[in-house]
Amino acid sequence: MCVGKPKSGEQSYRVYLVKDEKEEDLKLEDAAKLAAFFNSKFFHETVTSNNLAIPCGRFEQSFRIDDGDISYLVFVTRFEKGWRARELSENELCLVAEKIGAIHAINTASMSPEFLRVVEENYENIQNYQTSIEPQLLKIMYEAIEGELAKYFSLPNEVMPRLEKIVANEDEEERPTPSERVVCHGRLTADNCYFKENLDKGGATGHPIELVDVTDWENIHFGDVACDLSNLIISSAEPSI
């Protein structure tokens, strides 16, 4: 089911903003927010400056806003509006996989050392923050399953042990090293994929729709090519697939 189809080719702007904290006052949560901001900014700058064929916002400008003693870092991207599907058909999944392949095909050896360093460091900060809040999230989940939400699970008593086992096995060092590390989106789902109708009705491309924008690049990192696609299928594929 699609949500709100805008006019084809309509251009819009997206603004990203984060509070600029002093390093000595930086808490783990604030560090993660800054890391996500700069990961996204570096990615959009790289895609735009190298004119990469990736359906995402194009970097426009960045600046700082000072409001008394508080400063905010800002950057702006220009993107083409599209519509989202709550669940993706096989055709839509293939289209996303085809386009996201342009990211996976990027030769990391050709990237600047600064970009590689910043992405690695930022992703590590984000991961550290996510790890720090896992106990709190598990507690909330446990209380929910023990309460009214239990009726939505066929085996509610098995949910938490399985979830805790998954979390315990998510240590990066325990995962097999991929044969090739590529640029991964990090959180690819139907929620951040936007489509529009193809004006040539699928003529040259074979697709009746076109993927025009993929959002939420805060979690980009260098990882296994299977991560993005498996997450997309598990989270967003139609039940019939």
Side-chain angles (χ1 to χ4, degrees):
M1 181 177 179
C2 303
V3 182
K5 293 187 178 182
K7 295 180 180 179
S8 177
E10 186 176 346
Q11 297 288 314
S12 295
Y13 294 88
R14 187 175 288 121
V15 178
Y16 300 79
L17 178 146
V18 68
K19 186 178 179 181
D20 188 15
E21 299 281 1
K22 295 180 180 178
E23 188 171 349
E24 58 269 21
D25 300 329
L26 208 58
K27 298 178 181 178
L28 187 57
E29 181 179 1
D30 298 323
K33 290 178 180 178
L34 281 169
F37 174 88
F38 281 112
N39 252 8
S40 184
K41 179 175 181 287
F42 268 88
F43 177 79
H44 286 290
E45 285 179 323
T46 300
V47 169
T48 304
S49 61
N50 291 282
N51 197 28
L52 300 179
I54 297 172
C56 66
R58 265 31 191 179
F59 181 83
E60 285 287 309
Q61 60 177 311
S62 62
F63 51 91
R64 177 189 296 270
I65 298 175
D66 293 317
D67 183 13
D69 295 333
I70 303 176
S71 292
Y72 297 92
L73 302 174
V74 184
F75 77 91
V76 181
T77 61
R78 172 177 45 83
F79 67 98
E80 186 173 351
K81 277 191 173 182
W83 46 264
R84 289 187 297 181
R86 292 190 176 93
E87 295 172 341
L88 300 182
S89 66
E90 183 177 351
N91 180 57
E92 290 164 342
L93 287 170
C94 290
L95 185 57
V96 175
E98 178 183 314
K99 293 296 184 180
I100 214 73
I103 305 168
H104 297 154
I106 296 174
N107 183 2
T108 54
S110 65
M111 296 180 175
S112 70
E114 181 186 14
F115 178 84
L116 298 174
R117 178 186 61 79
V118 169
V119 168
E120 290 278 18
E121 291 180 356
N122 286 342
Y123 186 65
E124 182 179 356
N125 284 334
I126 294 170
Q127 290 292 92
N128 288 339
Y129 173 66
Q130 291 175 342
T131 300
S132 73
I133 63 174
E134 278 177 359
Q136 180 183 355
L137 295 177
L138 288 173
K139 181 181 178 182
I140 294 172
M141 185 71 174
Y142 180 81
E143 292 174 350
I145 293 177
E146 286 287 295
E148 296 182 357
L149 292 182
K151 61 185 178 183
Y152 296 105
F153 296 87
S154 58
L155 299 170
N157 293 331
E158 295 186 15
V159 173
M160 288 310 299
R162 292 183 181 183
L163 186 58
E164 289 169 351
K165 184 177 181 180
I166 291 173
V167 172
N169 290 334
E170 280 194 336
D171 188 340
E172 193 72 32
E173 295 180 356
E174 296 181 5
R175 298 179 184 177
T177 302
S179 57
E180 184 178 2
R181 284 162 57 85
V182 301
V183 179
C184 293
H185 179 279
R187 196 163 61 87
L188 187 63
T189 69
D191 285 340
N192 41 48
C193 294
Y194 292 79
F195 303 87
K196 74 172 184 179
E197 293 182 1
N198 203 329
L199 295 180
D200 65 3
K201 304 301 180 183
T205 64
H207 294 293
I209 59 173
E210 181 180 351
L211 180 67
V212 293
D213 190 26
V214 178
T215 62
D216 305 325
W217 294 94
E218 292 83 358
N219 286 285
I220 63 166
H221 62 283
F222 304 111
D224 195 322
V225 66
C227 290
D228 281 340
L229 299 181
S230 59
N231 190 68
L232 178 69
I233 294 171
I234 292 170
S235 67
S236 307
E238 291 179 344
S240 59
I241 296 177

